[in-house]
Amino acid sequence: MTAASTPKGERRRQALVEAAAQLLAEGGFEAIRHRAVAERAALPLASTTYYFNSLDELISAAVEHAAQAELEAGRRRLAELTEEHHNADSMIELMLDLLLGTRSRDGGLDQVLLRYERLVGSPRRPYLAPLMRELSARLHDLLTEILAHFGVDIGRQHLLELIMLVDGAVVNALIESDPDPRATARRVLHSRLG
Amino acid sequence: MTAASTPKGERRRQALVEAAAQLLAEGGFEAIRHRAVAERAALPLASTTYYFNSLDELISAAVEHAAQAELEAGRRRLAELTEEHHNADSMIELMLDLLLGTRSRDGGLDQVLLRYERLVGSPRRPYLAPLMRELSARLHDLLTEILAHFGVDIGRQHLLELIMLVDGAVVNALIESDPDPRATARRVLHSRLG
DNA sequence: CCTTTATTGGTACGGTCGTCCCAATAAGTG
DNA sequence: CACTTATTGGGACGACCGTACCAATAAAGG
């Protein structure tokens, strides 16, 4: 069964999803294993197969959970913006937070790496494709809203170009000897929006 | 031991590297397993640990072998260029072949996917970092030579921007419902060079 | 209360994995 | 030739993996 019909069951199922999302953030798709998830959630191994028909289903739930949380955090950031920070710099930093993750601020690489592994690893997991497209569309919407909020009126095509530039900057920064993808991406955004 | 001291031994070692490179091209890093490599090379399992101290060493050798072959093929292509094909279109197609692989011509996705998995997966394999940087530098050299051969004088910074654009176009095309990363990348190059 | 359904958790199966061991054999060398 | 080193190939070990089974227990519904 893939659904719980009892409050406690629902709580356990959710605990598994959150544990899987944590593992995803820490070690990528490959870190989501039945045993690892169960241990992280302090539940028995078989609970993972009881609430999810397969590992893929669990991975999907984890990806969706993680992405929803990221989008919500972004919306909260947008809502909390005060007038005093209405400059291009803070807009760009907010965009970078959404595209690369907030942990990239202090030079951390792991979160950036995970995001691009997720991106590139998705075609190998066909069951993720519709979900990824949906989440990608929502992210684009949010970015458009953010730009609009800062008075930047941007067309869909121009936004996609911006995202392409950032992504290209990141994947190329990843193999440098002292990688700082956020700095590279920031330079790109400044040259286009700054 | 990591080296062979006998002609036959050297041949076997090379057979393992080629088998590993084949598997890498077919299924990515994860496809390089002791047993798979040995079977592909029609050699016993233990030969893989006899000639390579670890799986990482075998993976490194496979990556280097594959990349060298790609670079050599690119150089051959450059040398074989005749005057009749001296137009921007054929230059761009050659660049796309080098950046995305020749199998992307007919819309094939797997080779493109493999290349970007290799790119994004490299930071997780620190032993690959120096090798990847070396190979990346050689690819940049080759691309510069190609552009120069077509009369395009391009600075290092401008070349890097071009590559960034292509890579960004590709990773974003990968999650589309009917992905054609080569077409997207081609559009980008035409808008900059065409 | 009792029956039916949902959940629990311990365990087992069959598989793949990296790595190691070791006797048998080939190759190289004096 | 003998002796030393390189190589071969078969097998085994312990660790993980996804998944399935099943008796015991808790919850829900009449």
Side-chain angles (χ1 to χ4, degrees):
Chain A
M1 309 301 153
T2 177
S5 354
T6 239
K8 191 198 295 189
E10 193 56 51
R11 251 180 290 125
R12 285 186 101 147
R13 199 188 130 95
Q14 188 61 19
L16 289 172
V17 172
E18 276 161 23
Q22 276 181 32
L23 290 165
L24 176 67
E26 291 168 18
F29 289 123
E30 298 179 2
I32 305 185
R33 311 280 192 193
H34 283 111
R35 286 167 180 81
V37 172
E39 189 173 352
R40 177 66 62 103
L43 292 176
L45 167 62
S47 65
T48 56
T49 57
Y50 181 74
Y51 288 108
F52 300 91
N53 285 321
S54 72
L55 199 56
D56 294 346
E57 210 175 283
L58 183 48
I59 291 174
S60 297
V63 169
E64 178 155 22
H65 182 84
Q68 296 285 9
E70 286 167 12
L71 286 172
E72 277 169 30
R75 295 210 166 275
R76 227 174 300 126
R77 290 277 303 280
L78 175 58
E80 286 169 359
L81 277 178
T82 61
E83 287 297 326
E84 56 179 331
H85 294 104
H86 263 174
N87 54 62
D89 280 0
S90 56
M91 177 186 74
I92 288 177
E93 294 307 316
L94 177 50
M95 293 179 69
L96 289 173
D97 281 351
L98 277 170
L99 289 168
L100 306 193
T102 55
R103 284 210 304 279
S104 69
R105 280 185 213 152
D106 50 4
L109 252 185
D110 54 331
Q111 201 179 10
V112 180
L113 202 50
L114 252 352
R115 293 202 168 210
Y116 285 84
E117 284 176 347
R118 209 164 68 186
L119 200 59
V120 173
S122 292
R124 289 232 182 264
R125 295 161 236 266
Y127 55 91
L128 279 183
L131 178 57
M132 291 298 290
R133 280 197 294 279
E134 161 81 12
L135 295 170
S136 168
R138 289 206 187 283
L139 176 59
H140 294 181
D141 292 346
L142 179 52
L143 287 171
T144 304
E145 282 181 47
I146 289 173
L147 285 162
H149 184 264
F150 280 91
V152 181
D153 192 13
I154 198 176
R156 172 178 157 73
Q157 203 52 44
H158 193 23
L159 173 68
L160 290 181
E161 278 174 31
L162 226 46
I163 294 176
M164 272 173 33
L165 270 167
V166 169
D167 288 340
V170 170
V171 300
N172 276 282
L174 283 181
I175 63 168
E176 287 171 12
S177 55
D178 189 14
D180 190 351
R182 187 167 176 124
T184 315
R186 182 184 293 119
R187 229 175 295 128
V188 164
L189 287 183
H190 265 108
S191 76
R192 292 294 182 114
L193 297 170
Chain B
M1 307 301 155
T2 178
S5 353
T6 240
K8 190 197 297 187
E10 192 56 50
R11 251 180 289 126
R12 285 184 100 143
R13 198 188 131 96
Q14 188 60 20
L16 290 172
V17 172
E18 276 161 23
Q22 275 181 34
L23 291 165
L24 176 66
E26 289 168 19
F29 288 123
E30 296 180 2
I32 305 185
R33 311 281 190 193
H34 283 113
R35 286 167 180 80
V37 172
E39 188 172 354
R40 177 67 62 103
L43 292 176
L45 166 62
S47 65
T48 57
T49 57
Y50 181 74
Y51 288 107
F52 300 91
N53 286 319
S54 72
L55 199 57
D56 294 346
E57 210 174 283
L58 184 48
I59 292 175
S60 296
V63 169
E64 177 155 24
H65 182 85
Q68 296 286 9
E70 286 167 12
L71 286 172
E72 276 169 30
R75 294 210 165 274
R76 226 174 302 125
R77 290 277 303 281
L78 175 58
E80 285 169 0
L81 278 178
T82 62
E83 286 297 326
E84 57 180 329
H85 293 105
H86 263 175
N87 55 62
D89 280 0
S90 56
M91 177 185 74
I92 287 177
E93 294 308 316
L94 179 50
M95 292 180 69
L96 289 173
D97 282 350
L98 277 170
L99 288 168
L100 307 193
T102 55
R103 284 210 305 279
S104 69
R105 280 185 212 153
D106 50 3
L109 253 186
D110 53 332
Q111 200 179 11
V112 181
L113 201 50
L114 252 351
R115 292 201 169 212
Y116 284 83
E117 284 176 347
R118 208 165 67 186
L119 199 59
V120 174
S122 293
R124 289 235 182 259
R125 294 161 238 267
Y127 54 91
L128 280 182
L131 179 57
M132 291 298 290
R133 280 197 294 278
E134 161 81 12
L135 295 170
S136 168
R138 289 205 188 284
L139 176 61
H140 294 181
D141 292 346
L142 179 53
L143 287 171
T144 304
E145 282 180 48
I146 289 173
L147 284 162
H149 184 263
F150 280 91
V152 181
D153 192 13
I154 197 174
R156 172 179 158 74
Q157 202 53 43
H158 192 22
L159 174 68
L160 291 181
E161 279 174 31
L162 227 46
I163 295 176
M164 273 174 34
L165 270 167
V166 169
D167 289 339
V170 170
V171 301
N172 276 282
L174 284 180
I175 63 169
E176 287 171 12
S177 55
D178 188 14
D180 189 351
R182 185 168 177 124
T184 316
R186 182 184 293 118
R187 229 175 295 127
V188 163
L189 286 183
H190 265 108
S191 76
R192 292 293 183 115
L193 298 169

